Amino acid sequence: MSKPLSILFVSSEVVPFAKTGGLADVSGALPQTIRELGHDIRIIMPKFAAVSERRFKIHDIKRLTDIPVTVGERNLLGSVKSSFLANIKTKVQVYFLANEELFGRTDLYTDPETKEAWPDNDDRFIFFSRGVIETIKLLGWRPDILHLNDWQTGLIAAIIKAEYAKDPLFRGTKIVFTVHNAAYQGVFPRESFAKTGLPESAFSIDGVEFHGGINLLKAGLIYSDIITTVSPTYAKEIRSGPEYGFGLEGVFRKRARDTYGLLNGMDTMIWNPATDQEIPAQYSAEDLSGKVVNKKALCERFALPFAEEAPVIGIVSRLTDQKGFDLIKEKIDDLLSEDIRLVVLGSGDTQYEDFLVRVQKKHKRKMGVHIGFDEPLAHLIEAGSDMFLMPSKYEPCGLNQMYSLVYGTLPIVRATGGLADTVIDLDEKPKTGNGFTFVEYSAKEMMKAVRRALSAYRNRDVWKAAMVRGMKSDFSWTSSAQRYIDLYKTLLKRK
Ligand code: ADP
Ligand code: GLC
């Protein structure tokens, strides 16, 4: 084997330490697989208050305490703590950058009281970006690859290019920037630019400037060597127009030649119906008998009357516009007039939380709602539902449709991003189909797909065959992780 690579994976959330969405799942699983494939990969993330030092045996690194980090006029101090991400096969070192004032809050990005972004998110992530670079310098560890993720880390690329291009420590380092969601960009006013410490020349259309302010996602896009995104279809969509690029479609277009779409994998140790300890009955493609036991348990959990012929439709989601809740809202009466049970787990926008709770009160025997974040319940919903509804307006990759496929729960999805790359329509392709898809983003098209699913459900043999096909799909990280490694290697050969 050729020489192992050294990689620093930078992310603001990592399972099991802190999570708001799929970014954390990816940041936990991908580095472990890259490590299994023989490379020296380490992770760095902020030490939020939500990250439990006791539970994860996090300890201080003595020589990395009180590191000076400048954010504009402010001289702040950061400390690095350490722990490991371990599974039966490997161990990955995880560094946590701590600063009590900036990260000593449980919620990662938003103030739970106002539901708005923390007002000092610019300081927080400028500090994180500079702190990561200071940490590398003190470690004296030369990463071949800096793998950055989403807007929270984009500035690192700009700082390295502006200040460290000739530094021996970073001269050979290449930067990969992965976009998990182009809608979240880290946009701040003009005054925040001074805090970045970047040279004035970076405040331009070819730099971090964006409509008179600054945009940290754009920083990552402009200054990284390679851009990746989390599915092949999304890689094309982001340059197609503002519905997908959110104002950065021009930048995506400019960097099209350096952009790669690599489909996410999923953690098959956590999400496997044959070994899942969060569900009452384990089952597999060879023995489906446990599935109905889970369906009964799910109905019981939400006090819904169980009926074998009435399919349960599950939803586990952030409650945001991205996930298509306006379509569900529009057609909720039609949906609930069918012979189904609808179970929703989610949290997010108040308007959707209120709506779901309100409708549930009127339809207590048909609908179950749990507002909140609840991992064990997410497992029960995947296992106990017959169908999983995910009518996303856009979906960079999406993990829940993969979990659904593997749990024999047929996904009904809008054909966009990673959903288009993983779900095959059963009516269009009866021999290979594993779910139901619709193309136009409209409530009418969504309902047509739901009704097709309901009618297919009555044909038990066809349905079972589709379940089994889904359950046998291979979404493990191995092949995607290998693609990342190949990409790192190609990049390192570039001058
Ligand atoms: P996104 O990152 O856009 O939210 P993904 O489908 O990639 O979408 O990932 C979402 C992840 O978060 C999945 O692991 C899903 O199970 C989990 N999740 C979302 N909402 C909840 C919730 N309310 N409770 C438990 N898990 C949730
Ligand atoms: C984002 C996207 C989601 C993707 C996840 C992990 O949160 O919304 O589609 O699966 O990142 O890459």
Side-chain angles (χ1 to χ4, degrees):
M1 195 183 125
S2 54
K3 186 173 140 302
L5 303 175
S6 53
I7 305 136
L8 184 64
F9 193 90
V10 191
S11 175
S12 57
E13 48 184 278
V14 180
V15 160
F17 307 109
K19 161 165 169 176
T20 69
L23 167 64
D25 295 85
V26 174
S27 304
L30 174 59
Q32 293 194 68
T33 314
I34 291 177
R35 179 76 200 97
E36 280 165 29
L37 294 169
H39 299 280
D40 177 12
I41 184 163
R42 308 181 195 181
I43 301 173
I44 187 162
M45 67 175 285
K47 168 64 186 74
F48 297 110
V51 180
S52 160
E53 294 193 42
R54 262 232 326 258
R55 182 172 157 215
F56 299 114
K57 301 193 175 69
I58 295 174
H59 55 83
D60 295 335
I61 304 181
K62 288 238 163 51
R63 67 188 182 92
L64 298 180
T65 42
D66 293 339
I67 307 167
V69 179
T70 352
V71 176
E73 311 266 281
R74 300 175 74 191
N75 295 315
L76 299 165
L77 294 175
S79 294
V80 180
K81 296 168 187 281
S82 158
S83 179
F84 289 97
L85 243 186
N87 63 28
I88 40 174
K89 295 188 219 149
T90 56
K91 242 174 138 180
V92 174
Q93 169 121 46
V94 185
Y95 299 114
F96 299 89
L97 185 62
N99 174 290
E100 192 48 36
E101 185 202 330
L102 298 175
F103 298 130
R105 321 170 191 173
T106 304
D107 289 68
L108 273 55
Y109 317 119
T110 49
D111 181 342
E113 297 209 336
T114 60
K115 291 208 163 202
E116 303 277 330
W118 292 112
D120 58 348
N121 270 351
D122 52 349
D123 289 40
R124 298 171 83 223
F125 292 100
I126 293 169
F127 173 85
F128 180 59
S129 299
R130 289 212 167 265
V132 167
I133 296 172
E134 293 309 317
T135 305
I136 301 173
K137 281 157 63 182
L138 287 166
L139 284 169
W141 175 62
R142 202 186 70 78
D144 298 312
I145 298 288
L146 263 178
H147 190 151
L148 313 178
N149 293 277
D150 277 354
W151 72 265
Q152 294 87 343
T153 64
L155 194 62
I156 297 175
I159 299 172
I160 298 267
K161 291 285 153 74
E163 297 173 26
Y164 293 94
K166 299 210 170 86
D167 188 299
L169 194 58
F170 293 102
R171 208 166 36 210
T173 301
K174 298 285 185 198
I175 303 178
V176 175
F177 184 61
T178 299
V179 179
H180 296 261
N181 195 329
Y184 299 89
Q185 303 186 345
V187 173
F188 300 101
R190 171 77 170 97
E191 301 78 71
S192 303
F193 179 70
K195 301 184 188 175
T196 66
L198 288 172
E200 211 45 47
S201 59
F203 192 79
S204 72
I205 191 158
D206 297 320
V208 302
E209 190 271 338
F210 186 71
H211 300 292
I214 63 168
N215 182 321
L216 301 188
L217 187 75
K218 188 181 173 206
L221 298 178
I222 299 269
Y223 295 102
S224 58
D225 296 299
I226 271 189
I227 298 165
T228 74
T229 184
V230 289
S231 70
T233 297
Y234 191 61
K236 291 189 207 119
E237 288 172 338
I238 42 180
R239 51 179 180 260
S240 66
E243 331 74 274
Y244 292 101
F246 296 92
L248 289 176
E249 52 281 2
V251 182
F252 282 116
R253 233 170 271 146
K254 256 193 211 156
R255 297 234 50 198
R257 270 183 25 171
D258 284 323
T259 304
Y260 298 81
L262 273 61
L263 191 72
N264 283 337
M266 54 172 264
D267 194 324
T268 49
M269 306 254 252
I270 300 178
W271 294 96
N272 178 353
T275 55
D276 194 332
Q277 293 305 309
E278 306 283 4
I279 58 177
Q282 287 74 42
Y283 61 103
S284 65
E286 288 69 42
D287 177 7
L288 292 170
S289 56
K291 182 89 183 158
V292 69
V293 180
N294 295 311
K295 178 169 169 176
K296 279 187 189 143
L298 178 61
C299 288
E300 213 168 280
R301 166 81 191 249
F302 284 99
L304 296 168
F306 166 85
E308 187 138 25
E309 68 289 354
V312 174
I313 303 183
I315 297 179
V316 178
S317 182
R318 288 186 291 115
L319 303 177
T320 61
D321 289 337
Q322 170 190 348
K323 303 292 178 178
F325 280 95
D326 52 340
L327 304 190
I328 295 173
K329 205 170 162 185
E330 195 180 326
K331 286 288 183 194
I332 193 74
D333 291 337
D334 285 8
L335 196 58
L336 291 172
S337 69
E338 298 286 344
D339 187 19
I340 59 153
R341 311 283 179 264
L342 180 65
V343 168
V344 188
L345 165 63
S347 64
D349 293 358
T350 318
Q351 63 141 330
Y352 295 129
E353 290 186 354
D354 293 349
F355 156 74
L356 289 167
V357 171
R358 203 172 57 238
V359 183
Q360 194 275 335
K361 279 196 188 127
K362 279 200 291 182
H363 299 272
K364 288 205 171 101
R365 298 187 57 80
K366 280 219 138 161
M367 187 173 175
V369 172
H370 182 89
I371 302 294
F373 199 91
D374 187 332
E375 300 245 0
L377 185 55
H379 284 249
L380 181 61
I381 293 178
E382 288 294 1
S385 303
D386 298 292
M387 305 165 188
F388 191 90
L389 182 59
M390 206 165 165
S392 304
K393 192 177 277 175
Y394 70 93
E395 196 61 73
C397 179
L399 296 169
N400 274 110
Q401 84 281 10
M402 295 197 231
Y403 303 158
S404 301
L405 287 167
V406 169
Y407 277 66
T409 303
L410 269 56
I412 306 168
V413 305
R414 175 161 176 262
T416 180
L419 300 176
D421 294 335
T422 49
V423 182
I424 305 163
D425 191 273
L426 186 59
D427 289 325
E428 259 172 51
K429 304 242 168 75
K431 290 212 176 76
T432 53
N434 57 15
F436 301 88
T437 65
F438 62 100
V439 176
E440 185 192 295
Y441 186 74
S442 74
K444 198 168 135 221
E445 289 302 308
M446 178 190 76
M447 270 318 288
K448 274 201 220 156
V450 170
R451 292 210 170 96
R452 287 195 293 114
L454 297 179
S455 101
Y457 182 75
R458 282 178 221 123
N459 191 338
R460 296 311 295 159
D461 292 339
V462 171
W463 190 268
K464 263 195 192 147
M467 279 172 75
V468 167
R469 273 197 295 277
M471 294 178 79
K472 287 190 169 161
S473 28
D474 179 10
F475 294 124
S476 68
W477 265 105
T478 320
S479 56
S480 289
Q482 189 56 55
R483 265 182 228 131
Y484 276 102
I485 294 167
D486 293 343
L487 203 58
Y488 298 156
K489 287 186 178 163
T490 318
L491 185 56
L492 286 166
K493 283 192 201 124
R494 269 201 209 166
K495 277 280 159 270

